[in-house]
Structure formats: structure tokens, C-alpha cells
Amino acid sequence: MFVQQLEPVADSLGLSALVATLPLLTVLVLLGAVRMKAHRAGLIGLAVAVLVAWLGYGMPLGQTASSAAQGVLFGLFPILWIVVNALWVHRMTVRTRHFDILRRSFGRLSDDPRVQALVVAFCFGALLEALAGFGAPVAICAVMLVALGFDPVRAAVVALVANTAPVAFGAMGTPVVTLAQVTGLPLDTVATVVGRQTPLLALVVPLLLVWLVDGRRGLRETWVPALACGFAFAAAQFAASNYVSAQLADIGAALIGAGALVAVPHARRPAAEPVRAAVLTGVRSEDLDHDDPRPEVLRAYAPYALIVAVFSLAQIPAVKDLLARATRTFDWPFLDVADPSGDPVGGNVFSLPLVSTGGTLVLLAGAATAAVIGVHARVAAREWAATVHELRFAILTVTSVLALAYVMNLSGQAATIGHYVAAAGAGLAFLSPVLGWFGVAVTGSDTSANALFGALQVTAAREAGLSPELLAAANSSGGVLGKMISPQNLTIACAAVGLAGREGDLLRKVLPWSLGLLLVMCLVVVGQSTAVLGWMLP
């Protein structure tokens, strides 16, 4: 048995914490200063984590390698299993041109560009985040906005800022699932607390979007549909995450938010020509005027309806129990780790939810989608393989970061840093969202930031006498606000709208909003850690 140590370096907590941060510092410097590709930085950071665990913490090399292997498997299944299958569904709709039909359908909902920004970037972007995440919503929504006539810079900024409120529950709840896995906290508890933080962002972001599209005039003329959309989204996200399922939180919120937006009469009024002339300064796609047969429009919406139906069916208690029977739980080989108190850690046991996991359910919905939109089985298989090839570097990045996180957590490195950070005491509540924000800004992924800092937040919270669930959730909720400034997302947005090399311009436009919203989230978490807003927590 390997017993974790908190002060393995010269019996000093400070020196041990400094050594324990080397893997994280390596990744951050390589990504931020050296501008190395994320998958290479992740692999080098993993190598440093292995060396620190082996040489600094005395973890046997075999157990260190086993820890990394467990992280790789968790990265592949369930995380990337969800992402690959979700993007596979999208690729099939692009291949059959049903995605173009969907885009034209959105364009006909309203000719007001401010409302179009809410429909495309906020509502549809949230649905894409719910299904896939990992940059897909920014790329797809930015392209759609440009096709509607938005200036490329404005389209990219709107898509980036909109990709905030749904991120914590994105990719079928992958960030909160990962957070629960690495912290050992119950998933329902973590999702409940996150669901009492991020809906507050949903109230603000739609108003911010209409401001970004048309300034003060946009806010004055379209605040009613923006507020209706944001309130409906927030209420649905809160209700789903607290009482239904973390995996369905964003799907329900996106659909209900869109329904509320379309239901507001103000949203369907024709926009004044001066507004359209001022906002739509780009080139409008000519195919927007093409009329699509109603059956084809229904088929274009079918993939998303099928995913919602499959996931809703999976939440029925009898079905849920049936799917859960396929879950395999076993002792992880070559791993026997105890915490500093001598108690076995949760990582010694591993669970594989083979059927009930989100990725398998999306795969089933994808098979039904292929039949509905007319994709032959052989073509669908080729598209799946092409999706894996397209994501090959993302797969390397996610698996290396998860392996790094597991090595740090199981060797005791995260616990050392957590005990050291706990010295911040009550100030930790304010800094907790900042740590998540910083992690996502660097890695581009709320999932990765939760894997890196989740266990640290819980350890620090317990040492400081704060709620572990609150600070774990704050890591994810603060992290969503770092998404818009992450180099990966900025690059994706620029590439999508033909602005390669202008990432710096976008960063300057979105950074103030990222910092402003982060400050709001920090104050919310501080309030929730005291009697001021403590009533918000379960």
C-alpha cells in the first residue's frame, strides 16, 4: 500500500506545495508563454507529474503508471465517448445538408439581428454545448451568424460571450461528472450547487448579447425578449440540475429558453431598416432565401429531438435501473493507495457505466438519426471514423490532462497544494472561482480545469472550514467565464469566420466581459459561503 504524504519535501508544507505545482506550472507556461500545442503541453505536464509523484512523493512507479492509465481511461470513457458521438451526429447533418436547412429555419424565425443572435448564439449554442461542447458551439454559431449577415468580428465575439452559461453542464454534464469523480463528492450534490450559481449568469448574458450586437439601442428595444429568454433558461437549468438530471440541464434550458423567446411578440416584429443596416455589415448568404419543404425541415430538427427523447426515456426509473445493470465496478489493477490518515482512497475502485453513460445514449440517438435523415450505415460508420480523426489532437489533450490530474490526485500532490492554499481562510471563497477561471482560460475546457483543481478545492475547503461542495462547484462555475478568453476558443472562433491571426483583437473585446462576470461570480460564492446568500444552497 502507498500512503500519501502531505509534506514529503524536507518536511515542509510550503516546499512540498511548490514542488507539487510543477506539473501545473509546466502546462500553464507551455500553453501561455511558449504557445505550445495543447496536446504536447499536456503530455509534457504528465511526464513532470509522474516524476514528482515518483521522486518527490515516493509513489512506486508501477502505481504512478496505473494512476495515469486510470485517468486515460476516464478521459476516453465517458468523456470523449460523449464528444465523439455528439459531433458524429452533427457531421451527418452537415453531410446531408440538413444543417443548412436548420440554419435557414433559424433565419426565418425573426429578421431582427438582435433576436437572431439570441436564437443562434445563446439558445442553439447552448444546445450544441449540451450535446458536444469542446469548442463546437463557438465554431458552428459563429459561421451561422456570418451567413445571416453579421460582421465576422461581431459574430465571433457574440458566439464567444454566449458560450458561458451552459458550459458547466455541457457535453451531457461531462464537467460536473468529472468534478464529482475527482473529488469523490456525489454527482447530484455537485450538480445541485452548480445549478444554483450558473443560472445567475443566464439572466445576464442575453442582455449582454443584445448590447454587443446593437449597443444601447439594442438593449432598450429588445430587453424584453432577452430577459424572457434568460429567465426561462435560468429557471429550466436550475430545475433540471436540481430535480431531474445534470445531463439534461442544458438541453431543457436551451429548448425552454428558445420557446420563451419565440413566444414573446416583440421578438417576431420586423426590425427597423436602420437597425439591420447598422448591425448586418457582413455579406448575407444567398441560400437563406431558399424555401425548404416542411418534411425536410422536420428531418433537420429530428437529430436533436431524438437525443432529447432518448435521454428523457433513460431518466424513467425503471429504464434507468435497467441501464445501470450494465455498469461494471472493479478494483483498479496495480493500485493500492491510502490517504494521509491511512484510509483507502476512492480511486482504488473504478466504475464503467457502459450503457447508462451519455455517450452510449447519444450513439443510440445517432443511429436513429442516420435512419431518419437518410445516411447509409456504411457512410455513417465512415463519418464516425472521420470524427475520431478530426478530434485526434483533442483526444490526446484530454487524456493527457486527465492522466496528469489522476497522478496528482492519487500521489497526494493535489492534497498538499490544497492544504497550503487553505491558509487563505475565508478569502478562499473569493479566490475559488478565480482558480477555475484561470484553469479554463489556459486549458480551454471546464472539464480539464475541474480535473486539475477539483480535488485541490475540496481539500482546501475542508482545511479552511468551508463547504467542499460550494468550492468544488465554484471551480466549475467560475471556469465557464474563462472559456471566452481561452486561446483554443479564440483560435476556433477566428478560424470559423476567416479571421486567422486576429485572436488578439478578439481577446481585447471579450476580456472585460469575462473579468466583469467573474467578479460577479466571486461575490456570489462569497455570499453563499456566509449567511447573506447561504440560503441559496441545499
Side-chain angles (χ1 to χ4, degrees):
M1 177 181 287
F2 167 71
V3 180
Q4 296 173 348
Q5 302 176 63
L6 292 177
E7 303 175 356
V9 181
D11 293 324
S12 166
L13 184 62
L15 287 175
S16 299
L18 183 62
V19 172
T21 59
L22 288 178
L24 296 177
L25 289 175
T26 300
V27 174
L28 299 181
V29 170
L30 290 178
L31 283 174
V34 181
R35 298 187 179 278
M36 182 179 287
K37 296 290 185 182
H39 63 280
R40 293 175 182 168
L43 289 171
I44 294 173
L46 171 60
V48 174
V50 168
L51 288 174
V52 171
W54 180 35
L55 300 177
Y57 279 73
M59 189 179 198
L61 195 55
Q63 295 215 46
T64 305
S66 182
S67 302
Q70 186 176 146
V72 169
L73 179 57
F74 184 69
L76 291 172
F77 191 97
I79 293 177
L80 288 163
W81 182 234
I82 297 172
V83 177
V84 168
N85 289 326
L87 288 179
W88 169 58
V89 173
H90 172 68
R91 281 183 67 101
M92 287 193 292
T93 65
V94 171
R95 183 183 182 91
T96 59
R97 298 194 176 277
H98 284 94
F99 179 71
D100 294 333
I101 296 173
L102 189 69
R103 175 166 54 84
R104 288 193 288 268
S105 176
F106 286 163
R108 283 190 286 270
L109 288 175
S110 172
D111 74 342
D112 190 326
R114 299 161 301 189
V115 175
Q116 289 175 344
L118 294 175
V119 172
V120 173
F122 188 71
C123 297
F124 186 59
L127 184 60
L128 291 173
E129 183 66 38
L131 303 179
F134 292 89
V138 170
I140 294 169
C141 292
V143 169
M144 292 179 75
L145 290 174
V146 169
L148 291 169
F150 279 68
D151 170 73
V153 173
R154 182 175 284 152
V157 169
V158 168
L160 285 166
V161 174
N163 190 221
T164 49
V167 168
F169 295 104
M172 297 301 175
T174 296
V176 291
V177 169
T178 303
L179 186 61
Q181 179 81 9
V182 300
T183 60
L185 298 173
L187 173 60
D188 290 345
T189 304
V190 173
T192 295
V193 180
V194 174
R196 298 176 187 224
Q197 295 172 343
T198 56
L200 299 175
L201 297 175
L203 294 172
V204 177
V205 171
L207 296 170
L208 177 55
L209 292 179
V210 297
W211 173 278
L212 289 171
V213 171
D214 195 30
R216 188 176 300 173
R217 177 179 58 186
L219 190 60
R220 184 178 66 251
E221 295 181 0
T222 54
W223 68 269
V224 173
L227 197 58
C229 177
F231 182 81
F233 186 101
Q237 191 182 60
F238 162 77
S241 60
N242 276 260
Y243 305 112
V244 183
S245 164
Q247 287 86 347
L248 291 175
D250 278 349
I251 293 177
L255 296 176
I256 291 174
L261 177 61
V262 174
V264 176
H266 189 88
R268 298 193 298 274
R269 294 175 189 166
E273 194 54 41
V275 172
R276 292 179 56 80
V279 175
L280 301 179
T281 54
V283 179
R284 186 174 180 272
S285 176
E286 294 181 1
D287 74 346
L288 288 174
D289 300 321
H290 178 72
D291 288 329
D292 299 299
R294 186 173 182 80
E296 290 303 307
V297 174
L298 293 176
R299 290 172 75 189
Y301 281 91
Y304 309 100
L306 286 168
I307 290 175
V308 173
V310 169
F311 271 82
S312 299
L313 185 65
Q315 298 308 310
I316 297 173
V319 178
K320 194 172 186 178
D321 292 342
L322 181 64
L323 297 178
R325 291 178 188 173
T327 299
R328 295 291 177 263
T329 302
F330 54 90
D331 293 332
W332 187 257
F334 310 113
L335 195 65
D336 188 9
V337 179
D339 63 22
S341 302
D343 299 320
V345 300
N348 292 331
V349 179
F350 193 80
S351 291
L352 274 177
L354 298 173
V355 181
S356 60
T357 188
T360 303
L361 298 179
V362 174
L363 180 66
L364 295 174
T369 294
V372 170
I373 64 176
V375 178
H376 191 277
R378 191 183 304 108
V379 176
R382 281 203 300 267
E383 287 295 331
W384 194 91
T387 304
V388 174
H389 183 264
E390 179 186 339
L391 291 174
R392 61 193 183 281
F393 294 121
I395 291 171
L396 261 181
T397 301
V398 171
T399 52
S400 61
V401 168
L402 264 295
L404 180 155
Y406 269 65
V407 170
M408 289 190 65
N409 292 342
L410 290 169
S411 66
Q413 296 172 58
T416 297
I417 299 171
H419 280 75
Y420 185 75
V421 171
L428 189 60
F430 184 87
L431 295 175
S432 184
V434 178
L435 190 59
W437 174 85
F438 185 66
V440 175
V442 172
T443 66
S445 164
D446 201 37
T447 298
S448 296
N450 286 344
L452 289 174
F453 300 132
L456 184 156
Q457 297 265 23
V458 167
T459 302
R462 286 172 175 152
E463 288 299 304
L466 296 170
S467 165
E469 294 82 4
L470 174 61
L471 295 202
N475 191 83
S476 192
S477 299
V480 306
L481 300 169
K483 190 96 176 206
M484 68 178 83
I485 64 167
S486 69
Q488 292 92 320
N489 253 23
L490 291 170
T491 302
I492 288 170
C494 284
V497 298
L499 295 174
R502 294 185 58 183
E503 289 85 356
D505 294 340
L506 286 187
L507 177 61
R508 284 189 290 273
K509 289 181 179 294
V510 299
L511 181 59
W513 302 112
S514 178
L515 292 173
L517 292 172
L518 175 64
L519 177 60
V520 172
M521 184 55 66
C522 290
L523 295 176
V524 167
V525 174
V526 169
Q528 289 179 334
S529 70
T530 66
V532 177
L533 294 179
W535 53 268
M536 292 179 65
L537 300 180

